[in-house]
Amino acid sequence: MTLHAVTGPLGYTGRSLTERLLSRGQRVRGLTNSLSRPNPFGDRIVLHPLAFERSGEIEDSLRGVEVLHNTYWVRFNHALFSFEQAVRNTRVLFEAARRAGVRRIVHVSILHAEEADDLGYYRGKHDLEEALRATGVAHSILRPGVLFGRFDILINNIAWVLRRLPIFGVFGDGAYRLRPLHVDDMAALMADHAEREGDLLVDAVGPEGFAYRELVETLARIIDVPRKVVSVPPLAGWLVGRAVGPFVRDVIITREEIAGLMRGLLDSTAPAAGAIRLTEWAMKHREELGRRYASEVGRRTQRSVAYADVR
Ligand SMILES: NC(=O)c1ccc[n+]([C@@H]2O[C@H](COP(=O)([O-])OP(=O)(O)OC[C@H]3O[C@@H](n4cnc5c(N)ncnc54)[C@H](OP(=O)(O)O)[C@@H]3O)[C@@H](O)[C@H]2O)c1
């Protein structure tokens, strides 16, 4: 039985991964920023703090661990956190893993990480891929574009907007594409990569691809809310998001996220890394999809609340 460490085991991808590892009979040690978040795994996992400022403590937490799975990252710059801080922290984590003798690191990056250094999210992810390579620890870098499934943000919030507003504005022509992967398929991929050898780089994309406009129209059809989908200038779309943000106490979307989406950075021609189809999943969950807004800032500020209960 292998001992795995998972960062963010009470979060989104990390929680799904922890379920998967436990179901495979593996042992899991969790590293989290949110020690008081409800823990659905009880005493089946041991939790440690992600104490980036005390690297010796992280090293101790990783002693005896064979595989480290890293999901830690921040989605945007904010008064409470930044990409720069997340890069620094992740470097501390990688170094602690090396010193602790971790055999393999399975790291979650982003599609096309090296292709958009002008965007902070991508620059940070690019930097961390290089930092991981420089550690000399065997690794897999897995690159999703968009994940969906229980507790997801993007797909849920598109459905949320569709349910509430009479029209839906897509940024520009909406022809840029994306290949969403189900979070449980992502978790299975991560668990599989714990067993692999050497240094691997994989695009983590799903079996279905959509143009963004087509994705919105497909979701509208599935949840049965006929809506006019119109093209809006990206800046205008961002301003609408910014105006609605305070009502849901969140940053709905950033200008960098819009730029990445419109450049087609969430698309890839790689073979599918999972089998769960977004259309089938959405059909199965059509009643609850988008009923409640999913808040990124809420997840970061309500650290003793489960993702499902964040308001
Ligand atoms: N979700 C997607 O659609 C998507 C798409 C492409 C790539 N990814 C990548 O997948 C990985 C996992 O993402 P996820 O969506 O599953 O995220 P998540 O579970 O919400 O967060 C993952 C981990 O990062 C920590 N974290 C997140 N934001 C933080 C902040 N602002 N300050 C401090 N800690 C923070 C969480 O904290 P706690 O320890 O407190 O839980 C958790 O440990 C990330 O590397 C992300 O870039 C995700």
Side-chain angles (χ1 to χ4, degrees):
M1 226 194 315
T2 303
L3 177 59
H4 301 251
V6 175
T7 57
L10 311 177
Y12 178 43
T13 309
R15 176 171 168 165
S16 189
L17 170 64
T18 301
E19 279 170 5
R20 178 72 51 153
L21 291 170
L22 292 174
S23 75
R24 290 186 185 182
Q26 306 288 303
R27 287 191 302 145
V28 177
R29 194 174 286 172
L31 279 80
T32 176
N33 288 304
S34 308
L35 281 168
S36 53
R37 226 186 266 290
N39 169 9
F41 306 108
D43 59 10
R44 290 188 300 153
I45 65 171
V46 178
L47 290 173
H48 292 245
L50 258 175
F52 295 116
E53 66 292 350
R54 302 186 298 278
S55 61
E57 201 176 314
I58 299 204
E59 186 181 330
D60 290 344
S61 300
L62 292 173
R63 285 238 173 265
V65 165
E66 286 179 61
V67 183
L68 165 65
H69 301 260
N70 179 38
T71 72
Y72 165 74
W73 182 240
V74 307
R75 215 186 98 198
F76 39 71
N77 285 324
H78 185 271
L80 300 173
F81 45 83
S82 68
F83 293 133
E84 202 182 305
Q85 193 182 33
V87 168
R88 219 171 32 240
N89 288 343
T90 309
R91 284 172 167 269
V92 167
L93 177 71
F94 288 162
E95 267 314 299
R98 187 188 60 74
R99 288 197 309 271
V102 167
R103 173 176 64 75
R104 184 169 193 82
I105 298 177
V106 178
H107 172 65
V108 185
S109 186
I110 188 81
L111 282 178
H112 308 289
E114 71 288 3
E115 291 175 33
D117 280 345
D118 57 318
L119 305 178
Y121 189 108
Y122 285 83
R123 188 165 60 248
K125 289 286 195 181
H126 183 188
D127 187 296
L128 288 176
E129 289 193 0
E130 307 268 295
L132 177 53
R133 290 182 187 109
T135 61
V137 179
H139 59 265
S140 291
I141 295 173
L142 307 181
R143 293 170 152 184
V146 181
L147 299 171
F148 69 95
R150 188 186 55 171
F151 313 137
D152 106 88
I153 289 191
L154 180 72
I155 302 297
N156 179 77
N157 289 352
I158 290 175
W160 182 85
V161 172
L162 283 166
R163 286 190 190 281
R164 275 157 193 82
L165 299 186
I167 54 169
F168 191 105
V170 295
F171 313 109
D173 64 7
Y176 39 85
R177 300 187 66 79
L178 55 169
R179 298 258 313 268
L181 178 71
H182 193 280
V183 67
D184 290 343
D185 280 340
M186 180 68 195
L189 183 69
M190 293 182 76
D192 291 346
H193 271 261
E195 316 289 327
R196 305 284 291 271
E197 303 286 334
D199 298 337
L200 302 168
L201 179 66
V202 175
D203 284 359
V205 289
E208 288 178 310
F210 305 86
Y212 184 62
R213 175 187 285 271
E214 178 193 4
L215 173 67
V216 172
E217 289 168 346
T218 303
L219 288 172
R221 225 175 11 256
I222 289 175
I223 63 172
D224 199 20
V225 286
R227 291 287 183 261
K228 197 169 164 53
V229 177
V230 297
S231 291
V232 296
L235 180 63
W238 173 72
L239 285 170
V240 171
R242 206 174 72 151
V244 176
F247 293 99
V248 287
R249 282 172 291 156
D250 195 21
V251 174
I252 294 182
I253 194 157
T254 68
R255 294 187 74 179
E256 290 206 345
E257 287 172 331
I258 295 171
L261 179 65
M262 292 185 73
R263 284 185 209 173
L265 294 175
L266 306 189
D267 193 22
S268 158
T269 54
I276 303 173
R277 303 173 76 82
L278 172 60
T279 46
E280 288 170 13
W281 174 84
M283 187 59 86
K284 202 161 149 199
H285 297 276
R286 58 192 293 195
E287 287 310 322
E288 68 263 26
L289 191 58
R291 291 272 175 212
R292 282 205 348 222
Y293 180 83
S295 169
E296 175 68 32
V297 171
R299 291 175 182 189
R300 311 297 51 114
T301 52
Q302 298 169 42
R303 291 207 169 276
S304 51
V305 176
Y307 275 17
D309 298 321
V310 165
R311 292 288 180 275

